[in-house]
């Protein structure tokens, strides 16, 4: 089946820590099936994810302090 889950990690120095798991169909999340590319806005406030299998672009807001993301569209 298609990958409907994306794990979010934060890199600090030499440590990589799991922050959040985003799942298509949960909390309004859509468009990330087959996530193929990720782009962080220049100001760090937004993340765009292309879902190759979804043929879509998902947009998330990003909390700079925690790294957690919230689906916007």
């Amino acid at each position: 089946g298609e990958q409907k889950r994306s794990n979010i990690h934060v890199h600090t120095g030499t440590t990589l820590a799991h922050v959040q798991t985003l799942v298509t169909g949960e909390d309004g999340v859509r468009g990330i099936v087959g996530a193929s590319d990720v782009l962080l806005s220049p100001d760090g406030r937004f993340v765009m994810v292309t879902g190759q299998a979804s043929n879509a672009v998902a947009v998330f807001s990003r909390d700079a302090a925690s790294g957690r993301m919230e689906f916007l569209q």
Side-chain angles (χ1 to χ4, degrees):
E2 299 290 343
Q3 180 64 19
K4 297 179 181 182
R5 179 178 308 263
S6 293
N7 292 301
I8 310 304
H9 295 83
V10 172
H11 183 264
T12 306
T14 58
T15 304
L16 187 63
H18 179 262
V19 172
Q20 172 181 22
T21 300
L22 299 169
V23 180
T24 295
E26 291 183 12
D27 298 320
V29 174
R30 61 185 185 278
I32 63 170
V33 177
S36 56
D37 290 295
V38 176
L39 176 71
L40 180 64
S41 66
D43 63 6
R45 294 178 48 215
F46 301 96
V47 176
M48 283 67 69
V49 179
T50 57
Q52 187 173 15
S54 299
N55 195 30
V57 176
V59 180
F60 298 86
S61 62
R62 177 180 166 270
D63 181 289
S66 69
R68 292 190 61 81
M69 300 190 328
E70 181 179 335
F71 180 77
L72 296 176
Q73 63 179 7

